[in-house]
Amino acid sequence: MTYLQFHLAFTLPPLVALALLQGRTRERWWPLALLVGIAFVYTTPWDNYLVAREVWSYPPGRVLATVGWVPVEEYAFFVIQTVLAGLWLRLFQARWPVPPEPASATMGGRVAGAVFFGVLTLAGVAMLVASGHWLYLGLILAWACPVLAGMWWLGGHLIWARRRLVAVTIVPLSLYLWIADRVAIGQGIWDITDATRTGWEIVGLPVEEALFFVVTTLLVAQGLVMLETPSAS
């Protein structure tokens, strides 16, 4: 299986299905479009660095072309996953609408979330310093957690107010992407270098990969909740 065939089998069909299920809803297009742009710009240098450091590798013949170090199909994944998460969230957001007064904007809750992800950021930096088998895990934490910390500092009360919506986005979509990723690794579409990962696995899936899909889906879900809530102050 090639990377393109992976998209045709695992990412594009649910994307099309979710787009059709949106029906005639007239959601504003710009919040999701903004998140797609941010995800693409923020992820591109990080992903290129990962491939340059040989954390990820792609066997010859499995990709169409590369731009920098990264296959074009990988750039497509940035966009596809962001839109998948956004469309999935929008299927359920009517069940948990924006509260007239989003859950009390207590500084304590916002600080707690920011501190939690701040600590994970520091742990990620420490892993980067240690490098070796901690490199991939450190790169994920040091890349994603500062943004998550900032989200909680600015709008943790908004995220908490719609926590069920965030959860119903993260859990099923992460599980689906775990399965798809495990198949891709098993098919040899990409490989996670043993020397840069801990070796911990969940049913054959490197724990770093599992964490990656959780935090990336969380970034999209929290971002969309904040953008589609009247006030983030």
Side-chain angles (χ1 to χ4, degrees):
M1 181 183 285
T2 66
Y3 204 159
L4 177 59
Q5 290 170 333
F6 169 83
H7 278 312
L8 293 173
F10 287 100
T11 65
L12 293 177
L15 183 67
V16 171
L18 286 172
L20 293 174
L21 287 172
Q22 302 300 303
R24 299 193 179 190
T25 57
R26 295 185 178 180
E27 299 288 353
R28 296 176 298 173
W29 63 269
W30 70 263
L32 186 52
L34 178 61
L35 287 179
V36 168
I38 292 171
F40 193 90
V41 171
Y42 190 60
T43 308
T44 292
W46 180 81
D47 208 320
N48 273 272
Y49 181 76
L50 280 174
V51 180
R53 288 291 303 270
E54 298 183 343
V55 175
W56 290 339
S57 61
Y58 303 88
R62 298 302 180 100
V63 299
L64 293 174
T66 59
V67 177
W69 294 92
V70 176
V72 293
E73 297 93 334
E74 183 80 358
Y75 291 110
F77 210 148
F78 304 166
V79 175
I80 292 170
Q81 186 187 348
T82 304
V83 177
L84 271 176
L87 294 181
W88 180 267
L89 181 144
R90 285 180 165 178
L91 280 183
F92 296 94
Q93 67 180 355
R95 295 189 181 185
W96 297 284
V98 179
E101 294 291 333
S104 58
T106 59
M107 180 61 71
R110 291 160 64 176
V111 170
V115 167
F116 174 75
F117 286 110
V119 170
L120 290 180
T121 299
L122 294 176
V125 171
M127 291 174 190
L128 290 179
V129 172
S131 193
H133 291 291
W134 295 103
L135 179 61
Y136 187 16
L137 186 57
L139 283 168
I140 294 171
L141 294 176
W143 169 76
C145 289
V147 180
L148 293 168
M151 285 179 164
W152 273 87
W153 178 259
L154 293 173
H157 56 296
L158 306 175
I159 298 167
W160 182 254
R162 306 186 81 187
R163 59 193 179 277
R164 293 181 181 86
L165 178 59
V166 172
V168 84
T169 302
I170 296 167
V171 174
L173 190 54
S174 294
L175 287 172
Y176 178 75
L177 291 171
W178 288 2
I179 294 168
D181 191 23
R182 179 65 186 87
V183 171
I185 293 173
Q187 290 287 316
I189 300 172
W190 55 75
D191 182 57
I192 314 299
T193 307
D194 289 341
T196 61
R197 67 184 184 94
T198 60
W200 302 333
E201 295 184 347
I202 302 172
V203 195
L205 180 69
V207 70
E208 294 87 350
E209 288 285 273
L211 177 63
F212 172 76
F213 287 115
V214 170
V215 297
T216 49
T217 306
L218 183 59
L219 285 166
V220 177
Q222 290 189 172
L224 201 55
V225 162
M226 290 177 66
L227 289 171
E228 297 192 337
T229 300
S231 173
S233 61

